[in-house]
Amino acid sequence: MPEGADSRQLKFRDPARARDLGRALTAAAEAMGRTVSLMHVCGSHEQAIARYGLRASFPRSLDVIMGPGCPVCITDTPEVDEGVALARQGVTIATYGDMVKVPGTVLSLGDAQAEGAKVEVVYSVTQAVELARATREPVVFFATGFETTAVATAAALLGGVPDNFSVLSAHKYIPPVMEIVAEMPGSKVEGFLAAGHAATITGWGVFEAFVERHKLPVVVAGFEPLDILAALVKLVELVRDRKPEVVNMFPRCVTREGNRNAQEQLFKVFRPAGGRWRGIAHVPNGNLRLRDEWAHVDARRRFDIDLRPLWKFAPPALVQDCICGDIMAGIANPKQCKLFGKECVPDTPVGACMVSSEGTCKIWHLYGGVPDLSSSDAPQGEVRP
Amino acid sequence: MNLRLDLLGERVSMKHGAGGRAMRQLIGEVFTDGFPKAPAGAVGLDAMDDGAALPLGDGRFLVVTTDSHVVLPAFFPGGDIGRLAVSGTVNDLAMMGATEPLGLTCAVVVEEGYPRADLDRIHASMVAACVEAGTTVVTGDTKVMGKGQLDGVALNTTGVAIATRVVRDCGLRAGDRLIVTGTIGDHGCAVMAARHKLDLAGDLRSDVAPINGLIRAALAAGGDGLVTLKDPTRGGLSSALHEMAHKSGVGVLLDETAVPVNAAVRAASELLGIDPLVIANEGKALIGVRPAAAEAVLAALRAHPQGRDAAIVGTCTAERRGQVVLDTGFGRRLLVEIEGEPLPRIC
């Protein structure tokens, strides 16, 4: 069956409705008579915005900034170093494909692999556990991702793992970092688009305290183009009406209380701990670390991870020009980085944002480096037959 | 894009065979240099077109093209390496405007230990594809390599045909329309699913087929109004559009919602995170026409069994020369040509 019929069945991708929402968004934003800055905190949102060329339909007075929403990008250098050190100590590291190229202080896991270390790419924690079952050698799952993926790690541990399996947790917890960004000096962000899939776990209620404290509206959004446009319209209206509220625009998946069972499992295994997010700051309660009851599977406690051999080298010169931190904090965009698309490309990334499929730089590079291609400078001409 | 990418490293990598920028750079830097010039009036190596056109002196041209085929797996839903080898070369001739191939050569390189039964299957489907295309194999060569020196089997086919008018891939100007002859992404998706044993629901079948008959119908309907032909094989429709835009010095505005894609391919590509626009096709053409000829060519294509899903998908523009702007139906963005392979080798 050719296009026509099936695309129209996807009601969250209906271009006609998108145009209506685009007009509503423009009307709402322009009625404010000034620039409005909104932040989303999710790589999947940036993916959808870039993929569908949505930025071209945003009014000029609306600034949609990508915040620290890529779990791979915000995994801090010392955390990567821990994985690299373990791999070089002869332990098999199993991790998500995106992590392999992320630069550590000196080496990435991919570099360690090229040196002979055992690094296995897995698609899920379950696969890492299977890997451990098939061998007697120690296997460490280098666990990255937000609460969405952390739940899967927790469930695997609760389900029972072999003795040679342990977890190096670099899991992160999104709600605390929103506080950091909201409090960042000079922040112009007037409202947040919250990630629908994370809210599926936490529930939208988790943002109520945030809204109360910062008097900034939060709208929970899904990932289809219409989801995003509708959520942005709502968010601009909340800013305009000075209504700091949480609004759930993804009700087909998200409830107020979220997935209780998942939350229970998550916090049975992990505890929130303070720690650095790459390029952002120290985020109180922003890391998920294994609880004491799980010390026997905690790679940090089972192994003596010696990072010193990695620190003898000077950091690569290019890294000093990398502005990933500013990009993830929403202060700069990739176009403002002098490495973007030149020294820093997906095959040879300098910063973490060019590595992950959810990184802003990778996404912008993939979709032409000019995500704000406005219709005014686009070619003329009627396209449809 | 004005990027200076050092895609050509010290050694050849898979991306140099992927049909994207890396491959063109490798060919440009290593292979096209140094040969004596082709005869006057010829389309030669430097044109980097689908084939060569050598003037016969009577106004006609001898069109020649050659193509090597390695595909994993050699047998996939909808076809096999034999059908691919015949179709690929017949189609490359057709993309030069030569739709009546005089004959093909076929060179086979086989690995020691390769099953005889598989060779028989490959041969049978080459015969069938020749009959469909109205041509035959007129000479050939066979080599056997030691175990491990080759992965299974590789085929090379060369085709020759006479053309009175050579159609290039560089004749576009602003206002011209771009037509695809059917759904895109079928071949690459089918091969990928077979190779990685992706147990995907839905009917993923390669579109591999000789389409010289379809092109003949389009040429008859469009006449001089049909100005460019290109088969969107490796690198998919995206690479074909970029190459046409670049060589013709025009911009392209592509209407994504008009591009025909099978539901199964759409689902699979979404699942795999690969844009159907960069996935290979082996039985489709991208046709550039003058605006006045667009409807006639479209009608002729749709009247042919291989062109039922043909659609006008884009317009050439004077702005953004060499670039492809994608109208997603929601907004516009640049379509970037892939640098290397979005997936392992597929044709």
Side-chain angles (χ1 to χ4, degrees):
Chain A
M1 178 174 59
E3 165 73 12
D6 70 309
S7 79
R8 256 140 246 168
Q9 283 164 7
L10 293 169
K11 52 185 178 172
F12 296 102
R13 293 186 193 171
D14 179 348
R17 289 183 192 193
R19 279 190 288 276
D20 289 346
L21 284 168
R23 276 191 284 274
L25 183 60
T26 303
E30 284 178 353
M32 307 253 328
R34 62 180 178 81
T35 299
V36 181
S37 299
L38 307 175
M39 178 177 275
H40 69 75
V41 282
C42 178
S44 302
H45 278 153
E46 188 62 29
Q47 269 281 6
I49 289 170
R51 161 72 186 81
Y52 292 101
L54 296 185
R55 275 210 166 75
S57 65
F58 293 167
R60 292 220 177 261
S61 61
L62 179 67
D63 198 7
V64 178
I65 303 164
M66 175 170 176
C70 163
V72 172
C73 307
I74 48 84
T75 300
D76 202 14
T77 320
E79 291 174 315
V80 176
D81 288 346
E82 285 176 305
V84 170
L86 270 174
R88 294 175 99 210
Q89 283 167 233
V91 175
T92 298
I93 296 285
T95 193
Y96 298 114
D98 276 4
M99 286 309 301
V100 174
K101 279 193 193 171
V102 177
T105 304
V106 187
L107 299 176
S108 66
L109 282 167
D111 296 331
Q113 188 179 28
E115 280 185 354
K118 284 186 219 148
V119 178
E120 301 281 346
V121 169
V122 292
Y123 294 94
S124 68
V125 59
T126 323
Q127 223 183 333
V129 173
E130 280 166 19
L131 204 65
R133 287 219 166 90
T135 173
R136 299 165 84 170
E137 305 290 314
V139 172
V140 170
F141 178 54
F142 185 20
T144 57
F146 294 123
E147 46 271 35
T148 28
T149 11
V151 169
T153 309
L157 291 178
L158 288 164
V161 293
D163 291 343
N164 61 338
F165 180 85
S166 30
V167 170
L168 177 64
S169 172
H171 281 308
K172 302 278 187 274
Y173 191 51
I174 275 275
V177 82
M178 289 172 59
E179 311 262 350
I180 298 284
V181 175
E183 287 164 13
M184 224 171 236
S187 169
K188 292 182 188 135
V189 177
E190 294 180 75
F192 285 89
L193 215 57
H197 47 21
T200 311
I201 306 290
T202 60
W204 60 262
V206 78
F207 302 113
E208 287 179 320
F210 171 86
V211 164
E212 184 56 36
R213 251 194 311 277
H214 299 284
K215 305 290 178 218
L216 292 173
V218 172
V219 172
V220 177
F223 302 95
E224 294 293 345
L226 294 192
D227 284 324
I228 293 172
L229 287 168
L232 284 172
V233 172
K234 189 67 187 174
L235 193 51
V236 172
E237 287 172 357
L238 292 174
V239 172
R240 179 193 67 196
D241 301 341
R242 296 176 197 285
K243 278 192 187 162
E245 291 173 8
V246 186
V247 174
N248 178 17
M249 294 292 279
F250 197 32
R252 65 185 188 279
C253 294
V254 176
T255 60
R256 183 167 188 271
E257 63 278 2
N259 184 336
R260 285 272 176 75
N261 187 19
Q263 290 166 31
E264 248 169 55
Q265 298 205 1
L266 178 66
F267 291 110
K268 216 181 255 179
V269 172
F270 294 103
R271 64 183 169 82
R276 276 196 65 82
W277 286 32
R278 187 193 289 242
I280 305 289
H282 180 90
V283 180
N285 295 325
N287 284 356
L288 294 169
R289 295 290 191 243
L290 288 166
R291 291 187 173 278
D292 291 343
E293 304 90 286
W294 296 91
H296 58 289
V297 290
D298 188 343
R300 290 195 178 85
R301 299 189 234 196
R302 279 179 92 170
F303 299 95
D304 182 19
I305 306 176
D306 187 3
L307 298 181
R308 282 166 305 179
L310 292 175
W311 293 349
K312 285 183 195 144
F313 308 89
L318 284 178
V319 172
Q320 287 153 18
D321 289 331
C322 171
I323 61 165
C324 273
D326 287 352
I327 290 168
M328 287 187 279
I331 299 165
N333 72 49
K335 278 295 200 193
Q336 291 163 315
C337 177
K338 55 181 168 181
L339 304 176
F340 177 72
K342 298 185 187 85
E343 287 87 350
C344 185
V345 290
D347 268 359
T348 51
V350 176
C353 299
M354 189 57 95
V355 177
S356 165
S357 52
E358 294 199 355
T360 310
C361 297
K362 172 88 172 273
I363 295 169
W364 283 38
H365 190 266
L366 186 64
Y367 293 120
V370 197
D372 55 351
L373 196 70
S374 71
S375 40
S376 57
D377 64 347
Q380 309 296 308
E382 178 60 35
V383 176
R384 284 172 186 80
Chain B
M1 297 188 69
N2 297 321
L3 297 185
R4 203 37 217 125
L5 292 175
D6 180 27
L7 296 170
L8 189 62
E10 290 290 299
R11 287 175 194 278
V12 174
S13 74
M14 289 306 288
K15 71 183 174 192
H16 293 118
R21 273 184 288 163
M23 187 178 88
R24 280 211 302 281
Q25 192 175 342
L26 178 79
I27 295 171
E29 292 182 12
V30 177
F31 292 120
T32 57
D33 227 27
F35 289 108
K37 272 198 94 61
V43 177
L45 197 54
D46 54 348
M48 287 172 79
D49 211 320
D50 296 298
L54 307 170
L56 291 172
D58 58 359
R60 299 183 303 161
F61 291 85
L62 181 69
V63 178
V64 190
T65 188
T66 189
D67 209 341
S68 295
H69 300 270
V70 280
V71 58
L72 279 176
F75 300 90
F76 46 83
D80 58 40
I81 190 169
R83 185 171 177 78
L84 190 64
V86 170
S87 306
T89 293
V90 166
N91 293 346
D92 275 351
L93 289 174
M95 296 308 126
M96 301 292 289
T99 58
E100 305 197 16
L102 292 171
L104 308 178
T105 71
C106 177
V108 187
V109 190
V110 199
E111 184 187 11
E112 180 185 12
Y114 195 75
R116 168 77 187 262
D118 285 358
L119 280 185
D120 287 339
R121 274 178 75 187
I122 291 168
H123 167 257
S125 66
M126 289 185 80
V127 170
C130 280
V131 171
E132 277 176 59
T135 190
T136 190
V137 171
V138 291
T139 183
D141 176 56
T142 308
K143 294 279 185 301
V144 179
M145 293 183 78
K147 187 94 192 152
Q149 294 177 337
L150 173 77
D151 189 5
V153 62
L155 295 182
N156 173 279
T157 50
T158 295
V160 288
I162 303 284
T164 44
R165 176 178 164 239
V166 173
V167 181
R168 304 288 307 279
D169 57 5
C170 58
L172 295 169
R173 58 188 191 216
D176 286 350
R177 297 304 187 83
L178 296 166
I179 301 174
V180 286
T181 60
T183 57
I184 61 157
D186 301 81
H187 174 72
C189 261
V191 171
M192 205 183 341
R195 178 182 307 148
H196 300 295
K197 302 192 171 56
L198 307 173
D199 202 9
L200 299 174
D203 191 19
L204 290 172
R205 290 178 70 79
S206 167
D207 60 348
V208 58
I211 56 165
N212 51 327
L214 178 69
I215 299 305
R216 198 181 304 136
L219 282 164
D224 289 346
L226 192 158
V227 286
T228 58
L229 284 167
K230 185 110 209 131
D231 53 344
T233 53
R234 287 167 302 172
L237 190 62
S238 169
S239 268
L241 287 165
H242 277 96
E243 211 172 321
M244 273 195 181
H246 180 73
K247 287 183 176 173
S248 301
V250 295
V252 167
L253 178 59
L254 180 67
D255 179 1
E256 191 178 24
T257 61
V259 177
V261 183
N262 269 318
V265 168
R266 181 172 298 286
S269 63
E270 189 122 328
L271 196 71
L272 299 167
I274 299 166
D275 191 339
L277 292 173
V278 305
I279 301 178
N281 310 278
E282 291 293 344
K284 299 289 154 35
L286 171 64
I287 304 178
V289 292
R290 300 282 183 244
E295 289 304 327
V297 171
L298 186 65
L301 289 169
R302 286 184 173 167
H304 192 282
Q306 287 177 318
R308 278 195 303 259
D309 298 326
I312 297 178
V313 296
T315 303
C316 299
T317 63
E319 298 81 19
R320 294 192 176 275
R321 290 173 194 278
Q323 295 186 332
V324 180
V325 172
L326 185 71
D327 188 329
T328 65
F330 301 93
R332 286 173 177 185
R333 65 169 167 89
L334 284 183
L335 182 63
V336 177
E337 192 180 2
I338 52 163
E339 269 156 42
E341 188 103 39
L343 30 123
R345 194 175 75 209
I346 42 185
C347 57

